[in-house]
């Protein structure tokens, strides 16, 4: 993450905090705009072209903001990024902002890999256990499947990995048996 991205993210996080905005709503607005921008080459061309007058860019941004139901703070943040010709860095800035917002609201990001899909009840139970591992924080989990795990789950919270998979247990058993032979 570039230092510039982090500066924009911190500045916007401060605005969201000062104005006591709904963090989830702001995140949704930013993600909606980023998806709109990524989905339209014409929009990117207009907003990123330095030869197009600033007022024209702001009119386009205002139209999108109205359509997406953006708060004025979110719209102004995007206007600043556009003005400083940093729109091409929007995803990186958003990632930095989301990390700051998660930290401020006590949300831990967790990646959970299971051998098979889980139903809603099992996901909920697993997320409760992961929340305990995360120190009682609320957990935002993303799920993937990997049949090679055989069973169980592998959970990554930040840089820490908890391997509760059958494959992991078999590997540990193998290591102990090899060590006992030596």
């Amino acid at each position: 993450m570039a230092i510039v991205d982090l500066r924009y993210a911190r500045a916007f996080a401060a605005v969201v905090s000062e104005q006591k905005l709904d963090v989830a709503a702001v995140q949704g607005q930013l993600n909606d705009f980023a998806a709109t921008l990524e989905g339209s080459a014409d929009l990117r061309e207009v907003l990123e072209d330095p030869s197009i007058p600033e007022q024209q860019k702001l009119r386009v941004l205002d139209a999108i903001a109205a359509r997406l139901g953006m708060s004025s703070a979110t719209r102004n943040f995007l206007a600043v990024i556009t003005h400083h010709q940093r729109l091409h860095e929007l995803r990186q800035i958003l990632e930095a902002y989301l990390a700051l917002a998660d930290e401020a609201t006590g949300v831990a990001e967790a990646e959970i890999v299971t051998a098979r899909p889980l139903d809603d009840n099992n996901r909920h139970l697993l997320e409760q256990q992961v929340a305990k591992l995360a120190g009682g924080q609320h957990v935002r989990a993303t799920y993937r499947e990997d049949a090679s795990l055989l069973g169980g789950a592998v959970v990554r919270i930040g840089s820490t990995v908890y391997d509760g998979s059958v494959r992991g247990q078999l590997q540990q058993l193998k290591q102990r048996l090899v060590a006992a032979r030596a």
Side-chain angles (χ1 to χ4, degrees), residues 2 15 23 27 34 48 66 69 78 82 84 93 96 103 105 119 122 125 127 129 143 152 164 172 174 179-180:
V15 169
V23 173
Q27 288 174 351
E48 292 178 357
L78 293 170
T82 302
H84 291 282
I93 294 169
E103 185 178 313
T105 58
D119 61 29
N122 283 326
L125 292 171
E127 287 174 20
Q129 294 303 313
Y143 287 87
Q172 287 177 359
K174 178 182 174 183

Side-chain angles (χ1 to χ4, degrees), residues 102-114:
D102 284 350
E103 185 178 313
T105 58
V107 174
E109 187 75 33
E111 178 187 25
I112 301 173
V113 183
T114 60

Side-chain angles (χ1 to χ4, degrees), residues 1-12 77 81 86 88-97 100:
M1 169 184 343
I3 192 78
V4 173
D5 300 339
L6 189 55
R7 284 183 183 162
Y8 282 103
R10 282 187 180 143
F12 187 58
F77 173 66
I81 290 173
R86 298 282 183 191
H88 63 281
E89 298 176 36
L90 181 60
R91 273 292 171 200
Q92 295 89 334
I93 294 169
L94 292 182
E95 287 175 16
Y97 169 72
L100 291 170

Side-chain angles (χ1 to χ4, degrees), residues 110-118 126 130 141-156 161-167:
E111 178 187 25
I112 301 173
V113 183
T114 60
R116 291 183 247 20
L118 300 176
L126 184 56
V130 172
T142 56
Y143 287 87
R144 282 191 310 114
E145 293 174 28
D146 180 355
S148 72
L149 295 180
L150 304 175
V154 176
V155 176
R156 179 184 308 271
V161 177
Y162 300 93
D163 190 345
S165 68
V166 172
R167 180 183 68 191

